[in-house]
Amino acid sequence: MPQPPGLNDAERRLWAAFPSGDTVVLGDDRPTGPLPDRIVRAEIITRLLLGAGETRAGAVSAVRLRGAYVIGRLDVSGGTVEHELRLERCRLVEEPDLSNAKTRQLRLSDCRMPGFDGGGLQVDGYLSLSGSTVDGEVRLPRAQISGGLRMNRMTITASEPDKWAVFSGALVVDAGTFIQDSHITGGVRLVGARMNGGLFMQGTTLDNPGRIALDALNMIVEDAAEFSRDFVARGTLRLRSARVNGILSFSRGVLDSGDPARMALHGSHMQVDELLLWPLEKIQGRVSLSYSRVNLIMDSPDTWPDELYLNGLTYETLRFNGTFKDRLSWVSRDPEFHLQPYEQLAAWYHGVGSDDLARKVQLAKMRARRRRLHPVGRAWNHLLDWTVGYGFRPWLAFAWFGFLLAVGTTVFSVDPPKPIKPPDERPVFHSLVYSLDLLIPLDTFGQQQAFDAMSWSRWVAYTLVATGWVLATALIAGVTRVLRPN
């Protein structure tokens, strides 16, 4: 097919190179202005992609162009493109429109453009925008990419503060999604995305403080989701209901919501094989892992936020470099008290054979619960804590019992009580047995009914009787868990 009339020199070179797929080099830099010898009309590229140019047997026809200043709109929306498009170091004056198109692999690397519309795009191969600068929005809703998505070393700036920098929904990428070493100003939306080859965002900065930096609600990732190695999020990462069949890593990253009252990481209802929550510094903002299921959690006390929501979180293994007290602090950072985080932690300690630590977690749970009770309830709970450790330390009751028994024995040895029964009806007085009879709520040895303390020692006897009832009640209530919530 002969070249159409009216082509400039750059366009004639492109048309002639199309059958063999050769790269037309108009310059090795990205033009900042409409240089006459580098101008290529977008309609010429569109016509070649849609079959206007002739093909050559034994060669792969393609549009490969470097250093061009592309005017007009590259529009293949709804079309079927049988040829590869590769634009390198080009300047596109208008946003290319590839919405609902079916194409071979696409590469627009180190280019500059005011946006990219790939809504509904189907790519048989990879889509690469690496190295490009986008002053607007990259749109990929419902896009299906079989060979991988590459958005490395990009600079994307949303046109307005309330606009998305990257907008997609139900995006499917069969190979890896690489968004590494990029700087994105504005939100990134990956709602309902499916990344079958993993999501890799190492070294990327998402800059949207006080707003959503990444919205990945219901996202599914196979292999790994890497927000690590100098990844920075200024804004909220929303991974609610995400599923990662592999590693979800924040190792050596930075999480900063930009507002202490906002979520830095909203990760509730997730399903994750391994969670590496080990950023470079303390997380700024709140973190929610509520109702998530994680097989392995690796974290560090130095990085935990001040507010951490763990109610409903279940896990099989914990690995961290802190102490038992650090882990107790971990479950106590929820502004509202919940039993489940303590129960889960106690179950984990019990599962690894640390029954003593499991009991300490249960004790910490009851003490945390106590702070939210009314004054009478707090007083009774303090009593249960001091006497039997809520039933987790029953030996405390015996320690108190032994101490009071020693006090009574000493007092009634110094000031013996007065007999109140005839000599032939009363047992021989013994200060230890008499004190024991006072402490035990039942009249076991007959000493209490046969002798009556006098003067000041009578108050000691009254104290022993009262404390005996209190100890017995607390011991029964604690050990049998009668007063513990289920």
Side-chain angles (χ1 to χ4, degrees), residues 236-315:
T236 299
L237 295 185
R238 185 158 65 183
L239 301 176
R240 191 178 190 275
S241 300
R243 189 170 72 200
V244 180
N245 299 320
I247 299 173
L248 172 58
S249 176
F250 299 94
S251 177
R252 296 176 55 203
V254 175
L255 302 180
D256 184 352
S257 67
D259 181 352
R262 289 184 63 89
M263 287 285 182
L265 173 60
H266 193 328
S268 65
H269 300 84
M270 293 192 305
Q271 297 181 43
V272 179
D273 288 345
E274 297 183 29
L275 173 61
L276 277 60
L277 192 57
W278 213 311
L280 283 171
E281 56 191 40
K282 180 178 178 179
I283 299 173
Q284 302 298 317
R286 299 180 293 167
V287 170
S288 174
L289 299 176
S290 300
Y291 303 102
S292 291
R293 291 187 293 172
V294 184
N295 291 343
L296 168 65
I297 297 177
M298 294 182 64
D299 57 3
S300 172
D302 297 334
T303 64
W304 294 337
D306 294 331
E307 293 188 18
L308 183 61
Y309 301 85
L310 302 175
N311 186 36
L313 170 67
T314 58
Y315 44 86

Side-chain angles (χ1 to χ4, degrees), residues 171-485:
L171 168 67
V172 178
V173 183
D174 289 332
T177 300
F178 296 89
I179 311 176
Q180 299 174 322
D181 301 312
S182 296
H183 193 286
I184 302 176
T185 302
V188 175
R189 186 179 187 270
L190 299 176
V191 172
R194 185 178 184 95
M195 310 295 188
N196 293 325
L199 172 61
F200 305 92
M201 299 188 70
Q202 297 97 323
T204 288
T205 296
L206 305 181
D207 203 351
N208 204 23
R211 298 172 180 266
I212 299 293
L214 172 65
D215 189 356
L217 178 71
N218 293 316
M219 179 177 67
I220 299 175
V221 180
E222 303 289 342
D223 186 30
E226 292 281 353
F227 304 95
S228 55
R229 192 183 59 76
D230 301 323
F231 170 83
V232 177
R234 299 189 183 98
T236 299
L237 295 185
R238 185 158 65 183
L239 301 176
R240 191 178 190 275
S241 300
R243 189 170 72 200
V244 180
N245 299 320
I247 299 173
L248 172 58
S249 176
F250 299 94
S251 177
R252 296 176 55 203
V254 175
L255 302 180
D256 184 352
S257 67
D259 181 352
R262 289 184 63 89
M263 287 285 182
L265 173 60
H266 193 328
S268 65
H269 300 84
M270 293 192 305
Q271 297 181 43
V272 179
D273 288 345
E274 297 183 29
L275 173 61
L276 277 60
L277 192 57
W278 213 311
L280 283 171
E281 56 191 40
K282 180 178 178 179
I283 299 173
Q284 302 298 317
R286 299 180 293 167
V287 170
S288 174
L289 299 176
S290 300
Y291 303 102
S292 291
R293 291 187 293 172
V294 184
N295 291 343
L296 168 65
I297 297 177
M298 294 182 64
D299 57 3
S300 172
D302 297 334
T303 64
W304 294 337
D306 294 331
E307 293 188 18
L308 183 61
Y309 301 85
L310 302 175
N311 186 36
L313 170 67
T314 58
Y315 44 86
E316 296 180 4
T317 305
L318 294 174
R319 293 181 184 173
F320 65 109
N321 61 357
T323 64
F324 170 73
K325 290 184 178 180
D326 291 328
R327 195 50 81 181
L328 279 184
S329 172
W330 181 66
V331 295
S332 65
R333 298 190 177 211
D334 193 327
E336 298 183 4
F337 172 75
H338 298 284
L339 293 172
Q340 190 274 340
Y342 291 90
E343 296 285 358
Q344 173 65 36
L345 183 59
W348 180 75
Y349 275 117
H350 178 73
V352 298
S354 299
D355 292 342
D356 182 59
L357 295 182
R359 287 191 292 268
K360 289 181 179 180
V361 173
Q362 296 282 15
L363 185 58
K365 175 191 69 176
M366 301 306 296
R367 288 172 175 169
R369 176 179 176 269
R370 181 175 67 205
R371 292 191 290 269
R372 291 161 176 81
L373 299 176
H374 54 78
V376 175
R378 283 200 301 270
W380 173 241
N381 272 258
H382 273 296
L383 183 61
L384 286 176
D385 191 2
W386 294 336
T387 53
V388 293
Y390 291 100
F392 298 107
R393 294 179 175 178
W395 56 266
L396 280 175
F398 295 102
W400 279 107
F401 190 88
F403 171 74
L404 293 171
L405 183 62
V407 170
T409 301
T410 302
V411 168
F412 298 121
S413 296
V414 174
D415 187 14
K418 175 184 177 182
I420 57 176
K421 284 187 176 183
D424 58 341
E425 296 181 9
R426 68 173 183 261
V428 177
F429 174 76
H430 194 289
S431 59
L432 185 147
V433 178
Y434 180 68
S435 301
L436 192 62
D437 222 1
L438 292 174
L439 281 169
I440 298 176
L442 302 177
D443 184 17
T444 306
F445 302 104
Q447 297 266 327
Q448 184 178 357
Q449 300 298 325
F451 300 93
D452 187 18
M454 305 299 292
S455 64
W456 62 275
S457 62
R458 175 173 292 180
W459 293 104
V460 176
Y462 291 160
T463 301
L464 292 180
V465 171
T467 53
W469 277 102
V470 170
L471 282 175
T473 304
L475 185 62
I476 294 171
V479 173
T480 61
R481 312 293 197 267
V482 170
L483 302 183
R484 288 180 58 218

Side-chain angles (χ1 to χ4, degrees), residues 152-166:
N152 302 320
R153 307 182 322 280
M154 288 191 68
T155 300
I156 307 175
T157 305
S159 57
E160 299 178 18
D162 58 344
K163 297 290 186 180
W164 296 97
V166 178

